[in-house]
């Protein structure tokens, strides 16, 4: 099969790999679509410590089951269309036992710590597969994973009808979070330097938009979410909060990054700061939301490239071209 392989940080090729075979409790999936995420850029640059090399990246994907392991009891069969939760939790560490598998002491993920779906085929645990309704396209199915991260993030920050939220970052994750927050009755203001993405946020119902948080007429938000991972953006989001406000750090920052916040203000204004890490018991809910039509996907699904153009797709992601860039290994699916 053909696969995109990061041989080492900064080095990427598209080459042949042996076809995968299913583990006894796993299946092989023919990849229909796989989305590029900011984490993939960190992996390509050697900035995601859990990732080994060489590695086939790709953790946002959907496809068709082609082979089933001998011990699979989930009823999956060749031909089933599935979206796949990439989470690989050990199930026995203290965090898994406490129901916080996304903090697993032995954390792994398909495409992050083991070979993923920027390939024609990928082997995955059967338990991670969710059947897709016939009405859901492969490209929508590949969007379920980022939506599940957004669902977890909204659960972490909490939202009440009528609250004013500031979202910093209008990429795929910001636009998904915007839709979830608005469905819960929040009023959302979006900040991003990319005016094309701000136009999409406006199309999706943003209360206001700005290219810089300092340009906002109102800076008295009940809650703020940073989706960039940029320390200066996080600081601006923090500064926008009213007393008693809440800050969600959702974007992935470099491990060495540092930010400057006022501990006195956290104390005196009772500011709550929380993080949100990947997927936690949110994939099924995200699939249901997607299947119900609750999420507008057309404005987000902007680019689909063949596997051989994966390096170009990464460059597009770096440049902020479009919104969700996906690789479609086989145009026939």
């Amino acid at each position: 099969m053909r696969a995109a392989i990061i041989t080492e940080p900064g080095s990427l090729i598209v080459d042949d790999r042996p076809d995968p075979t299913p583990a006894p409790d796993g299946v092989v999936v023919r990849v229909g679509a796989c989305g590029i995420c900011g984490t993939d850029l960190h992996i390509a640059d050697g900035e995601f410590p859990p990732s080994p090399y060489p590695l086939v990246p790709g953790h946002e994907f959907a496809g068709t089951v082609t082979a089933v392991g001998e011990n699979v009891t989930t009823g999956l069969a060749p031909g089933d269309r599935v979206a796949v939760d990439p989470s690989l939790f050990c199930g026995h560490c203290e965090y898994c036992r406490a129901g916080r598998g996304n903090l697993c002491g032995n954390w792994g993920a398909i495409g992050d710590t083991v070979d993923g779906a920027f390939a024609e085929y990928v082997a995955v645990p059967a338990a991670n597969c969710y059947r897709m309704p016939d009405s859901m396209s492969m490209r929508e199915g590949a969007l379920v994973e980022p939506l599940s991260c957004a669902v977890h993030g909204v659960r972490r920050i909490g939202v009440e009808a009528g609250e004013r939220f500031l979202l910093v970052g209008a990429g795929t994750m910001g636009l998904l979070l915007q839709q979830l927050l608005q469905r819960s009755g929040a009023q959302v203001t979006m900040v991003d330097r990319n005016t094309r993405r701000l136009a999409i946020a406006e199309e999706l119902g943003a209360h206001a938009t700005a290219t810089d948080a300092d340009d906002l007429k109102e800076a008295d938000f009940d809650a703020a979410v940073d989706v960039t991972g940029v320390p200066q953006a996080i600081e601006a989001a923090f500064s926008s909060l009213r007393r008693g406000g809440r800050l969600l750090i959702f974007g992935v920052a470099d491990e060495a990054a540092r930010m400057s916040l006022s501990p006195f203000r956290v104390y005196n204004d009772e500011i709550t700061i929380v993080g949100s890490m990947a997927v936690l018991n949110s994939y099924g809910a995200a699939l249901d939301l997607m299947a119900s039509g609750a999420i507008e996907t057309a404005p987000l699904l902007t680019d689909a490239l063949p596997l051989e153009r994966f390096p170009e797709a990464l460059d597009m992601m770096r440049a902020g071209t479009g919104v969700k860039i996906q690789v479609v290994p086989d145009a026939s699916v």
Side-chain angles (χ1 to χ4, degrees):
M1 71 172 185
R2 300 291 283 172
I5 308 163
I6 300 173
T7 57
E8 60 184 8
S11 180
L12 170 67
I13 60 174
V14 179
D15 204 355
D16 291 328
R17 271 285 184 95
D19 290 349
T21 56
D25 59 351
V27 300
V28 171
V29 173
R30 180 187 181 191
V31 179
C34 184
I36 295 180
C37 169
T39 302
D40 295 315
L41 298 183
H42 287 293
I43 293 172
D45 295 341
E47 298 172 349
F48 195 71
S51 294
Y53 301 93
L55 179 73
V56 177
H59 60 272
E60 303 177 1
F61 64 101
T64 305
V65 174
T66 61
V68 178
E70 59 185 10
N71 294 339
V72 172
T73 59
T74 60
L76 285 173
D80 285 348
R81 302 167 72 255
V82 295
V84 183
D85 181 348
S87 306
L88 300 175
F89 306 151
C90 75
H92 57 74
C93 72
E94 62 176 307
Y95 296 104
C96 286
R97 288 174 181 266
R100 305 192 72 180
N102 62 328
L103 305 183
C104 175
N106 304 293
W107 184 89
I110 300 163
D112 293 344
T113 59
V114 301
D115 283 347
F118 287 124
E120 293 180 300
Y121 298 91
V122 59
V124 303
N128 291 48
C129 295
Y130 290 73
R131 288 185 180 84
M132 294 162 46
D134 293 340
S135 60
M136 188 180 296
S137 70
M138 288 293 175
R139 295 198 67 194
E140 290 172 330
L143 198 60
V144 171
E145 193 278 341
L147 180 59
S148 69
C149 294
V151 169
H152 177 54
V154 170
R155 290 173 176 172
R156 290 284 291 160
I157 189 67
V159 56
E160 294 184 8
E163 286 192 314
R164 292 170 297 170
F165 268 75
L166 174 67
L167 272 176
V168 183
T172 301
M173 298 311 310
L175 295 170
L176 289 172
L177 284 161
Q178 176 191 348
Q179 294 188 62
L180 292 177
L181 290 169
Q182 289 174 172
R183 281 182 57 83
S184 297
Q187 181 186 89
V188 176
T189 294
M190 184 75 80
V191 172
D192 197 291
R193 293 178 180 176
N194 189 320
T195 56
R196 296 188 303 275
R197 291 180 175 179
L198 288 182
I200 297 173
E202 292 171 355
E203 177 187 338
L204 292 172
H207 170 69
T209 61
T211 56
D212 191 310
D214 292 337
D215 296 337
L216 296 172
K217 294 181 180 179
E218 57 174 302
D220 190 29
F221 293 96
D222 298 294
V225 182
D226 175 74
V227 197
T228 70
V230 177
Q232 295 87 344
I234 298 170
E235 291 166 3
F238 177 82
S239 297
S240 76
L241 294 171
R242 64 183 305 175
R243 300 191 74 186
R246 311 187 304 283
L247 172 64
L248 172 64
I249 299 177
F250 186 93
V252 180
D254 183 274
E255 188 179 27
R258 296 293 182 268
M259 60 187 180
S260 178
L261 303 178
S262 165
F264 176 80
R265 183 161 184 242
V266 173
Y267 145 77
N268 192 60
D269 292 354
E270 292 197 343
I271 304 296
T272 300
I273 302 174
V274 297
S276 179
M277 162 60 177
V279 182
L280 180 64
N281 303 324
S282 51
Y283 199 92
L287 185 78
D288 290 343
L289 282 167
M290 187 71 71
S292 73
I295 301 299
E296 291 191 45
T297 61
L300 279 61
L301 297 174
T302 54
D303 299 275
L305 278 70
L307 181 61
E308 298 296 330
R309 293 174 62 188
F310 178 72
E312 179 184 345
L314 274 186
D315 290 340
M316 292 171 63
M317 178 73 178
R318 293 185 194 279
T321 301
V323 181
K324 176 51 68 178
I325 301 164
Q326 294 179 328
V327 167
V328 181
D330 185 345
S332 68
V333 299

